[in-house]
Amino acid sequence: MLIKQISVFIENLPGKLSEITEVLGDNGIDMSALSLADTTDFGILRLIVNDPDKACQILREQNFIVKQSDVLAAVIDDRPGGLTTVLKTLSAAGVSVEYMYAFVGNKDGHAVVVMRTDNAETAWKVLEENHISTLDPKDIYRL
């Protein structure tokens, strides 16, 4: 199942990251996973939160640039080569992984990896057909 991820563009200035987390926390938005990538002048904060629509609205009201996108959370075997199996399955179907990050926590001894692909619907179907589990949005908040 597809999960809504929000991406927030932030300036690389002291306090900007804490400003975002404070605004979200003050409004009851719970973060389940995050990734921060930066360049010299700005960063991209990617978040999985319990209410992505509300989070986008609140952050836009605070003049942040926010985008929502679909990602997958794949459950992989936590062993050497576990991720390779998933990546080869997607590659064989012509699906490209644009970026990924590990989810904090694990599910029954398995690792969880959040992935943005060039075709989320196809990726989800390919994983399902190959018996590779994906997490439902509500499951992410239980981890």
Side-chain angles (χ1 to χ4, degrees), residues 42-66:
F42 69 94
I44 301 173
L45 176 64
R46 294 182 173 108
L47 299 164
I48 301 203
V49 299
N50 62 332
D51 191 341
D53 293 329
K54 181 179 176 183
C56 285
Q57 175 189 347
I58 290 164
L59 291 169
R60 285 183 181 127
E61 289 171 359
Q62 297 295 315
N63 298 314
F64 286 100
I65 298 170
V66 183

Side-chain angles (χ1 to χ4, degrees), residues 1-97:
M1 179 166 246
L2 300 180
I3 297 163
K4 295 291 181 193
Q5 171 193 265
I6 63 171
S7 298
V8 187
F9 298 88
I10 56 175
E11 293 177 276
N12 279 349
L13 296 173
K16 283 296 185 181
L17 183 57
S18 64
E19 187 179 330
I20 292 169
T21 60
E22 182 176 29
V23 166
L24 293 175
D26 288 349
N27 287 278
I29 302 295
D30 188 24
M31 297 181 291
S32 295
L34 68 85
S35 170
L36 179 62
D38 73 311
T39 64
T40 304
D41 298 323
F42 69 94
I44 301 173
L45 176 64
R46 294 182 173 108
L47 299 164
I48 301 203
V49 299
N50 62 332
D51 191 341
D53 293 329
K54 181 179 176 183
C56 285
Q57 175 189 347
I58 290 164
L59 291 169
R60 285 183 181 127
E61 289 171 359
Q62 297 295 315
N63 298 314
F64 286 100
I65 298 170
V66 183
K67 177 184 171 192
Q68 237 185 75
S69 54
D70 291 327
V71 295
L72 297 164
V75 180
I76 64 171
D77 290 334
D78 190 8
R79 62 169 175 74
L83 180 59
T84 302
T85 301
V86 173
L87 295 175
K88 283 187 169 187
T89 300
L90 292 172
S91 177
V95 175
S96 178
V97 175

Side-chain angles (χ1 to χ4, degrees), residues 126-133:
V126 166
L127 293 177
E128 184 178 70
E129 289 167 0
N130 286 276
H131 309 290
I132 298 170
S133 298

